[in-house]
Amino acid sequence: MWCGGKMKISFWSNVRGTAGVTTNLACVSALTSISGQGKSVLLENHYSMQGIGDILLLPEKIGRLREEGEYFSHYGIEYVLKRLYSGEKADKLVHHATIPLLFSTMYYLPQAKIVNKEVFAYEFNLVQENLFDALSEISDYIFIDTETNQNLSSSVILSKADMVVVNLDQNPVHLKEYFTNYTSIREKAVYLIGNYKPELPWDVGKICKEFHIPKDKIGIIPFNMELHDAMLQGHLLQYLNRNYYKPSDMENEYFIRYAKRASQMVRKNILRVRKGISSLAQENVRGYNEINNVMQNG
């Protein structure tokens, strides 16, 4: 695990485009912040057609961020990666580069998408340890949208993250492919079923039973058309804020109820992992003290 003492949570899926990785990450992190459970920072280790910024930031802000000159010179993850590679200290860089959201309880490290995606992946992999250590200084939770196809940094992120949120869909072929081939991350995995539709044959109950998933390690993020439209306009946070306490109709009430439960499930498992890390650290200290005493007393 990386240094810094804060929680690094990777959102990942074995399939592309159907499990709602980016949507699920944005909803869980936003609901964590709205409920007052701590500060979050969000970022991706890859370029994608519709990234975190596209669903959180208004289109005019996205357009301004992606203008090459001034943006690339002062802000964003590409600039941070290049400066870290040059040996510059990371703490001030991430403070200037991140965009505060939800009254500074949530931050996003934006992308300009102005370099080749292979170059971006290479530079991210080179400096990711320093980057995550610096992000730990401004947040309690680092939520990482991790690329499906195992680019240079994805395998490191999955192996070193404190927890992996595996995003599933309801396709039995995809489900069996994950549970057959990715046993190495199951010990620290929790699960979200994205774009969830209760009428499909493989509902959450069947998935839990078939693959022996404890009910306290799985949640659903229902499909919702109003949410979908809000994301296309960069209004996801406005949608969540508007419906958090008083949903506008039954469909939104259904979505918010289960999205809150999913967010709570993730947080409870984060606390469980954190307690385990704390206990392990205490055991290591006790072991060091015992060895030290033996050495001193001969």
Side-chain angles (χ1 to χ4, degrees), residues 32-185:
T32 297
S33 296
I34 292 171
S35 62
Q37 300 299 315
K39 292 185 178 182
S40 304
V41 63
L42 287 58
L43 73 158
E44 301 109 318
N45 77 326
H46 61 287
Y47 285 164
S48 60
M49 292 296 293
Q50 187 179 40
I52 296 171
D54 296 288
I55 65 177
L56 295 184
L57 304 176
L58 298 178
E60 56 267 26
K61 191 165 188 178
I62 287 288
R64 181 162 52 87
L65 289 172
R66 290 178 183 168
E67 291 175 0
E68 292 193 12
E70 182 179 352
Y71 169 73
F72 186 68
S73 299
H74 295 89
Y75 303 103
I77 190 168
E78 291 92 345
Y79 173 72
V80 172
L81 296 180
K82 287 188 178 298
R83 300 311 300 170
L84 289 176
Y85 182 69
S86 300
E88 193 167 327
K89 290 186 177 180
D91 50 355
K92 291 183 180 180
L93 286 172
V94 297
H95 273 286
H96 289 299
T98 50
I99 298 174
L101 302 165
L102 293 175
F103 303 102
S104 297
T105 60
M106 178 176 169
Y107 296 86
Y108 172 54
L109 184 54
Q111 300 178 339
K113 297 184 179 178
I114 57 176
V115 299
N116 180 281
K117 65 179 183 179
E118 284 79 17
V119 172
F120 177 84
Y122 175 75
E123 293 182 340
F124 190 104
N125 184 59
L126 284 178
V127 299
Q128 62 174 303
E129 184 171 349
N130 289 340
L131 175 65
F132 288 125
D133 286 348
L135 293 173
S136 294
E137 298 301 318
I138 64 170
S139 65
D140 301 297
Y141 312 109
I142 301 173
F143 292 103
I144 311 153
D145 185 335
T146 309
E147 187 169 28
T148 297
N149 66 356
Q150 297 290 295
N151 71 16
L152 289 167
S153 63
S154 288
S155 58
V156 177
I157 291 171
L158 291 174
S159 66
K160 291 191 174 184
D162 299 295
M163 191 167 77
V164 178
V165 180
V166 177
N167 297 263
L168 306 172
D169 63 16
Q170 292 170 269
N171 183 323
V173 174
H174 297 160
L175 292 167
K176 291 172 184 176
E177 195 269 339
Y178 166 74
F179 284 99
T180 300
N181 297 322
Y182 294 93
T183 56
S184 61
I185 61 175

Side-chain angles (χ1 to χ4, degrees), residues 50 224-236 239:
Q50 187 179 40
N224 180 283
M225 183 53 77
E226 188 173 334
L227 171 76
H228 175 74
D229 291 342
M231 288 165 47
L232 292 178
Q233 300 172 46
H235 288 168
L236 182 139
Y239 168 84

Side-chain angles (χ1 to χ4, degrees), residues 170 172 196-207:
Q170 292 170 269
Y196 183 76
K197 297 177 180 178
E199 68 274 13
L200 293 181
W202 283 79
D203 61 13
V204 64
K206 183 170 183 178
I207 291 171

